Amino acid sequence: MVGSAMAADLATDADVSVTVADSRDDVLARIREACGAATVRADLSDPAAVGRLAAASDVVLGALPSRLGLAALRAVIEAGRDACDISFMPEDPGALCEAARARGVTVVTDCGVAPGLSNMLCGHAAARLSPCERLRILVGGLPVRREGPWEYKAGFAPLDVLAEYTRPARQVEGGRVVVHPALGGRELVELPGVGTLEAFHTDGLRSLIRTLGVPDMTEKTLRYPGHAARMEVLRDAGLFDERPLAVGDVRVRPLDVAAALLFPSWTFEEGEADFTVMRVTAEGRRDGRAVRCTWDLLDRYDPETGLRSMSRTTAFPATIMARWIACGRFRRPGVHPPEVPGAEPGLPEAMLDELGRRGVTVREQVLALD
Amino acid sequence: MVGSAMAADLATDADVSVTVADSRDDVLARIREACGAATVRADLSDPAAVGRLAAASDVVLGALPSRLGLAALRAVIEAGRDACDISFMPEDPGALCEAARARGVTVVTDCGVAPGLSNMLCGHAAARLSPCERLRILVGGLPVRREGPWEYKAGFAPLDVLAEYTRPARQVEGGRVVVHPALGGRELVELPGVGTLEAFHTDGLRSLIRTLGVPDMTEKTLRYPGHAARMEVLRDAGLFDERPLAVGDVRVRPLDVAAALLFPSWTFEEGEADFTVMRVTAEGRRDGRAVRCTWDLLDRYDPETGLRSMSRTTAFPATIMARWIACGRFRRPGVHPPEVPGAEPGLPEAMLDELGRRGVTVREQVLALD
């Protein structure tokens, strides 16, 4: 869902030669037709295959399912290639930092919209405010048409969506990491151009917990009101459990039953409109005065390219960053989350400019609080 | 859950000799120990076995799961024996009426608390009011201790509970049968001695739809507030579907997955307290004046006998009726729902007396409406 948007964006650039690898022939055919990128069929769950493909490239964009992310990234680093990744792997990719540094390889992980652009803006705010006291990220990708009972369709791998509904959510409160149950902390949020959505705890701070040292940080996911409560019922029923359950004379993972029941109705139809909404808020002091900086992103399905907003907003931060890594604009051997380039003077502004050129606009507001 | 309460009640009567049949040795041992009834191990899903056992008795009390009810009752009738049944079979037992009449056999079906006592009271009201304009039944059996997320435990076969949450609910409005989705029409109801419960449409009118000719009749089930909405989420997710679903390389019925996930937490613990609450309301005219008659039943777990309230209130109307059939106090060859004996002068009053002697009290109120 995202890789094709990455290919489409890179293919518009005469200086770039793109090769897309995937295991599915139909996906590759669609990409060749859509943007003319070269394609190669490969099993990317095999690190050796990833390593061979990486060796033939200058920079590698990873858009694999989260469970394949770490092994693939390790193979890229071992091939000595720079990389930008949006697999949102559950493991800490920092474990590969030494290996990358040793090979002079620059890697940026979690480089989508949120995590991704949100991290860049947080890194930017933490560098600009002194001190930065509070960061808050709200993000959601939703279908425009609300259809009961879920009022939701998945803009990325639906199993990764369900993981957001089960994984305990780490937030930072008063300088300490506090773990909340996922789907909790529900609150209604009014967003301009969107209306009323509901925000709830998800485990999206990830690297920010250890990189920024900001004492209060919250990440919440946005859905149409009621979705989280319904998901909570399914979760509390045990339907998202991964431990096999005896049902008559067979054994099934409840999570697989949930996937079979839900995902058919969670799939966008061809040409169906979606939108992405994100609000990052930073509070702190600038020149001694209390300020609140707010960045509002609202992006919609692009009927011209047929690219869904969730695909666009997730793909573009990665393709822009990959170009910067390739041309040396961001070069720092190691494995970094996006708040690291976000703290570099000029880079977050350039990211917003580049996104704007692609039709993804972010409105910035600064409000004096005293 | 109910058969043992029936045996306990009948065993207190020196004039009655009781034999309990079941396929489970442990259940039979428990009953022998609890009340000294004779027991016989038998496969009651086999109508021939039911017929043989029936032939050795004067009157047969049926307390089988609903799916076995019709075949067992047919076997009893073919053996020429009177019967009282609480299997709440999905089929219309009226189909057996001719066969019963031909053999001079009297059968009362649906003879629990609701259906059951509720039908008797409705039959009584319909006979006493002229005209009877409106009947409303609210009923629920609940654990005293509310434990999340379901705040519910099943006082009878849990698959039959889930059937209540899926089967479209037939109500009578303005003289016409109107079908509502189960779990819909939710409203909060304040009940003395209980507090606030939530009522929702279930398909409990059954025979009343065709027997009484009352133009407005509603049956709703009572649960702790929120239970119905949570069940609706599971139902809307398809988790109560009976059509096999492909999950990986196995096929399972979602309903069986629901049973495996939910029922362990829906099982009463040994000695756990429950209560049964029922309100039957009848509106109409008596001697030309508009009146509302209300019957309120509130019954609680009996720690002395260890019998749960749902077991007691379901068992006793059947054991009382069975005695009346056996001694000829109610004798009308055919298969009848309880509103038929309920319309006979003196019988509903006698039923309430007999229940009261067993500690199940029903408070009756008559209110003039004009």
Side-chain angles (χ1 to χ4, degrees), chain B residues 111-245:
Chain B
C111 199
V113 58
L117 178 60
S118 58
N119 297 54
M120 286 197 78
L121 295 171
C122 287
H124 178 49
R128 189 165 71 163
L129 302 178
S130 175
C132 179
E133 289 157 350
R134 173 172 287 118
L135 291 167
R136 179 173 160 90
I137 302 164
L138 302 173
V139 65
L142 288 165
V144 170
R145 193 173 68 227
R146 298 171 67 157
E147 271 180 295
W150 314 119
E151 302 186 358
Y152 181 68
K153 297 198 173 185
F156 54 103
L159 274 178
D160 287 342
V161 176
L162 290 188
E164 288 193 336
Y165 295 168
T166 51
R167 197 182 300 140
R170 295 162 297 164
Q171 312 288 10
V172 179
E173 298 171 10
R176 298 176 54 188
V177 176
V178 178
V179 179
H180 295 274
L183 297 172
R186 293 197 284 271
E187 57 182 310
L188 295 176
V189 182
E190 201 68 32
L191 291 156
V194 176
T196 306
L197 296 179
E198 191 174 44
F200 52 87
H201 289 306
T202 37
D203 191 50
L205 287 181
R206 296 170 60 94
S207 59
L208 294 170
I209 292 171
R210 58 179 169 72
T211 55
L212 293 191
V214 174
D216 283 286
M217 292 190 282
T218 311
E219 197 266 1
K220 290 188 174 185
T221 289
L222 295 164
R223 296 283 186 263
Y224 288 116
H227 176 85
R230 287 188 281 271
M231 288 298 116
E232 193 172 59
V233 171
L234 299 185
R235 187 192 65 190
D236 291 352
L239 197 59
F240 299 161
D241 289 357
E242 299 188 51
R243 215 172 44 180
L245 178 77

Side-chain angles (χ1 to χ4, degrees), chain A residues 241-365:
Chain A
D241 290 358
E242 299 189 52
R243 213 170 47 179
L245 178 79
V247 179
D249 48 7
V250 304
R251 292 177 71 80
V252 287
R253 295 197 318 163
L255 181 65
D256 296 330
V257 176
L261 287 173
L262 297 177
F263 295 172
S265 73
W266 280 20
T267 305
F268 279 98
E269 286 165 37
E270 188 70 27
E272 182 175 350
D274 73 330
F275 67 93
T276 307
V277 61
M278 180 176 79
R279 168 174 287 178
V280 176
T281 313
E283 289 177 14
R285 294 190 167 265
R286 197 166 58 173
D287 307 325
R289 304 206 43 195
V291 294
R292 177 188 298 139
C293 310
T294 305
W295 291 272
D296 275 306
L297 175 152
L298 175 58
D299 182 66
R300 297 179 180 282
Y301 169 72
D302 180 356
E304 208 158 299
T305 60
L307 289 177
R308 275 198 298 278
S309 171
M310 272 300 279
S311 304
R312 292 156 40 81
T313 57
T314 308
F316 298 160
T319 55
I320 294 164
M321 185 65 68
R323 279 188 183 84
W324 290 349
I325 295 171
C327 75
R329 183 159 182 189
F330 178 70
R331 167 135 308 274
R332 187 184 301 196
V335 175
H336 310 288
E339 56 269 33
V340 173
E344 297 219 348
L347 279 193
E349 296 87 343
M351 177 60 75
L352 296 181
D353 279 354
E354 287 288 337
L355 289 173
R357 287 179 47 205
R358 289 161 176 84
V360 178
T361 56
V362 177
R363 196 169 61 118
E364 181 175 354
Q365 277 188 297

Side-chain angles (χ1 to χ4, degrees), chain A residues 68-339:
Chain A
L68 302 178
L70 187 72
L73 184 58
R74 183 183 290 117
V76 172
I77 291 170
E78 285 172 358
R81 290 302 182 266
D82 295 329
C84 187
D85 189 79
I86 59 141
S87 69
F88 308 117
M89 58 190 77
E91 306 90 350
D92 177 7
L96 303 173
C97 195
E98 268 314 309
R101 213 175 285 157
R103 285 168 178 82
V105 160
T106 298
V107 175
V108 177
T109 55
D110 280 5
C111 200
V113 58
L117 178 60
S118 57
N119 297 53
M120 287 197 78
L121 295 172
C122 287
H124 179 47
R128 189 164 71 163
L129 301 178
S130 174
C132 179
E133 290 156 350
R134 175 172 285 119
L135 291 167
R136 180 173 159 91
I137 302 164
L138 302 174
V139 65
L142 288 165
V144 170
R145 193 173 67 227
R146 298 171 66 156
E147 270 179 295
W150 315 117
E151 302 186 0
Y152 181 68
K153 298 199 171 183
F156 54 105
L159 275 179
D160 287 342
V161 176
L162 290 189
E164 288 194 335
Y165 295 169
T166 52
R167 197 182 300 140
R170 294 162 297 165
Q171 312 287 8
V172 179
E173 299 172 9
R176 298 177 54 189
V177 176
V178 178
V179 178
H180 295 273
L183 296 172
R186 294 197 283 271
E187 57 183 311
L188 295 176
V189 181
E190 201 68 32
L191 291 156
V194 175
T196 306
L197 296 179
E198 191 175 41
F200 52 88
H201 290 305
T202 38
D203 191 49
L205 287 180
R206 295 169 61 93
S207 58
L208 294 170
I209 291 172
R210 58 178 169 75
T211 54
L212 293 191
V214 174
D216 283 286
M217 292 191 280
T218 312
E219 198 264 3
K220 290 188 174 185
T221 290
L222 296 163
R223 297 284 185 263
Y224 288 117
H227 176 84
R230 286 187 281 271
M231 289 298 115
E232 194 171 56
V233 171
L234 299 185
R235 187 192 65 190
D236 291 351
L239 198 59
F240 300 161
D241 290 358
E242 299 189 52
R243 213 170 47 179
L245 178 79
V247 179
D249 48 7
V250 304
R251 292 177 71 80
V252 287
R253 295 197 318 163
L255 181 65
D256 296 330
V257 176
L261 287 173
L262 297 177
F263 295 172
S265 73
W266 280 20
T267 305
F268 279 98
E269 286 165 37
E270 188 70 27
E272 182 175 350
D274 73 330
F275 67 93
T276 307
V277 61
M278 180 176 79
R279 168 174 287 178
V280 176
T281 313
E283 289 177 14
R285 294 190 167 265
R286 197 166 58 173
D287 307 325
R289 304 206 43 195
V291 294
R292 177 188 298 139
C293 310
T294 305
W295 291 272
D296 275 306
L297 175 152
L298 175 58
D299 182 66
R300 297 179 180 282
Y301 169 72
D302 180 356
E304 208 158 299
T305 60
L307 289 177
R308 275 198 298 278
S309 171
M310 272 300 279
S311 304
R312 292 156 40 81
T313 57
T314 308
F316 298 160
T319 55
I320 294 164
M321 185 65 68
R323 279 188 183 84
W324 290 349
I325 295 171
C327 75
R329 183 159 182 189
F330 178 70
R331 167 135 308 274
R332 187 184 301 196
V335 175
H336 310 288
E339 56 269 33

Side-chain angles (χ1 to χ4, degrees), chain B residues 11-301:
Chain B
T12 60
D13 193 333
D15 297 340
V16 175
S17 143
V18 194
T19 301
V20 177
D22 196 280
S23 60
R24 297 159 297 179
D25 277 325
D26 57 325
V27 169
L28 294 175
R30 181 162 55 77
I31 286 173
R32 276 195 306 272
E33 195 182 339
C35 70
T39 61
V40 53
R41 190 157 171 270
D43 174 8
L44 302 177
S45 69
D46 171 17
V50 173
R52 280 192 301 274
L53 287 162
S57 310
D58 295 312
V59 59
V60 176
L61 276 147
L64 290 171
S66 61
R67 66 193 160 79
L68 302 177
L70 187 71
L73 184 58
R74 184 184 288 116
V76 172
I77 291 170
E78 286 172 358
R81 290 302 181 266
D82 295 329
C84 187
D85 189 81
I86 60 141
S87 68
F88 308 116
M89 58 191 78
E91 308 89 349
D92 178 7
L96 303 173
C97 195
E98 268 316 308
R101 212 174 284 157
R103 286 168 179 82
V105 160
T106 298
V107 175
V108 177
T109 56
D110 279 5
C111 199
V113 58
L117 178 60
S118 58
N119 297 54
M120 286 197 78
L121 295 171
C122 287
H124 178 49
R128 189 165 71 163
L129 302 178
S130 175
C132 179
E133 289 157 350
R134 173 172 287 118
L135 291 167
R136 179 173 160 90
I137 302 164
L138 302 173
V139 65
L142 288 165
V144 170
R145 193 173 68 227
R146 298 171 67 157
E147 271 180 295
W150 314 119
E151 302 186 358
Y152 181 68
K153 297 198 173 185
F156 54 103
L159 274 178
D160 287 342
V161 176
L162 290 188
E164 288 193 336
Y165 295 168
T166 51
R167 197 182 300 140
R170 295 162 297 164
Q171 312 288 10
V172 179
E173 298 171 10
R176 298 176 54 188
V177 176
V178 178
V179 179
H180 295 274
L183 297 172
R186 293 197 284 271
E187 57 182 310
L188 295 176
V189 182
E190 201 68 32
L191 291 156
V194 176
T196 306
L197 296 179
E198 191 174 44
F200 52 87
H201 289 306
T202 37
D203 191 50
L205 287 181
R206 296 170 60 94
S207 59
L208 294 170
I209 292 171
R210 58 179 169 72
T211 55
L212 293 191
V214 174
D216 283 286
M217 292 190 282
T218 311
E219 197 266 1
K220 290 188 174 185
T221 289
L222 295 164
R223 296 283 186 263
Y224 288 116
H227 176 85
R230 287 188 281 271
M231 288 298 116
E232 193 172 59
V233 171
L234 299 185
R235 187 192 65 190
D236 291 352
L239 197 59
F240 299 161
D241 289 357
E242 299 188 51
R243 215 172 44 180
L245 178 77
V247 178
D249 47 7
V250 303
R251 292 176 73 79
V252 286
R253 295 197 319 164
L255 181 65
D256 295 329
V257 176
L261 287 173
L262 297 177
F263 296 172
S265 73
W266 280 20
T267 305
F268 279 98
E269 286 166 36
E270 188 69 26
E272 182 175 349
D274 73 328
F275 67 94
T276 308
V277 59
M278 180 175 78
R279 170 174 285 178
V280 176
T281 314
E283 289 176 14
R285 294 191 166 263
R286 195 167 58 173
D287 307 325
R289 301 204 47 190
V291 295
R292 178 189 300 139
C293 309
T294 304
W295 291 270
D296 275 307
L297 176 151
L298 175 57
D299 182 66
R300 298 180 179 281
Y301 168 72

